[in-house]
Amino acid sequence: MNNKKLLMMMEIAIFAAVGIILDKLTFSLWPQGGSISFVMVPIVIMAFRWGTVAGLVTGLLIGLMNALFGGYILTPLQGFIDYFFAFTAVGLAGLLRPLVLHAKTAGERALYMTIGTIFGGLVRYFAHALAGYVFFSEYAGDQNVLVYTIVYNGSYMVPAIILTALVVSLLLSKAPKLLQPKK
């Protein structure tokens, strides 16, 4: 195994551990789950630093550890959607990595990082909304279940996406060398 691949795997493990710690430092909104945290920051940084695959793997590890360390799982499918798929999907931010790396200005780079972060975050939001619609409809009461799950999950996911985009853009704009893995 070459040194670059080993370094990437070590960083994935470290960033996944940081993600779990950041996920425990949350602002909880609702008793049924959902909180605002910086858990997506390490996933997105890995996606921009090493590429989409590294971001996906980091997200998968964070989702796995979240499920193991206190996840609320009703059925295997709900657990898969809410933990494994949702957190893994955040790594899709890395799809914009080529645009970030070839940006001509810091502002352009920040724009692409923000778009990538929003994309990965929205896919996670969609996953949680889907799980809410299918598995947690009883919490909607007399309300339209689809509207309820979109609003409920949006109440914590939209602020989390915005905060993640701000932190990642500021961090990587001020320290652009973080985008370049060591060789």
Side-chain angles (χ1 to χ4, degrees):
M1 178 181 307
N2 64 31
N3 287 341
K4 188 173 179 179
K5 190 178 260 188
L6 179 62
L7 178 62
M8 180 182 72
M9 291 183 345
M10 288 172 48
E11 286 187 19
I12 287 170
I14 291 167
F15 275 68
V18 168
I20 289 300
I21 293 167
L22 290 174
D23 194 48
K24 300 305 175 196
L25 306 171
T26 64
F27 177 71
S28 295
L29 294 176
W30 309 111
Q32 294 91 12
S35 60
I36 299 170
S37 76
F38 293 104
V39 68
M40 293 188 290
V41 170
I43 301 169
V44 173
I45 289 173
M46 286 302 292
F48 289 139
R49 182 170 167 83
W50 288 97
T52 305
V53 173
L56 294 171
V57 173
T58 305
L60 177 65
L61 289 174
I62 289 173
L64 173 67
M65 289 187 287
N66 266 328
L68 293 174
F69 301 138
Y72 183 72
I73 300 175
L74 291 174
T75 70
L77 182 58
Q78 175 268 324
F80 174 79
I81 294 169
D82 263 340
Y83 294 98
F84 299 99
F85 179 78
F87 287 96
T88 301
V90 176
L92 292 173
L95 292 173
L96 272 76
R97 182 176 189 258
L99 295 173
V100 169
L101 294 178
H102 295 100
K104 303 269 189 258
T105 65
E108 188 179 347
R109 185 172 34 251
L111 174 66
Y112 292 136
M113 287 187 289
T114 300
I115 292 169
T117 302
I118 290 171
F119 178 70
L122 286 176
V123 177
R124 177 181 170 208
Y125 173 26
F126 172 76
H128 290 310
L130 175 65
Y133 180 77
V134 174
F135 298 101
F136 299 103
S137 61
E138 68 273 6
Y139 291 112
D142 294 335
Q143 302 172 59
N144 178 300
V145 176
L146 183 59
V147 172
Y148 174 80
T149 192
I150 288 171
V151 171
Y152 180 89
N153 287 288
S155 70
Y156 69 91
M157 280 305 305
V158 170
I161 292 167
I162 292 169
L163 286 172
T164 300
L166 285 171
V167 168
V168 168
S169 292
L170 286 172
L171 183 64
L172 295 180
S173 292
K174 296 298 179 188
K177 288 187 177 187
L178 286 175
L179 289 171
Q180 303 298 329
K182 297 210 188 239
K183 306 239 184 278

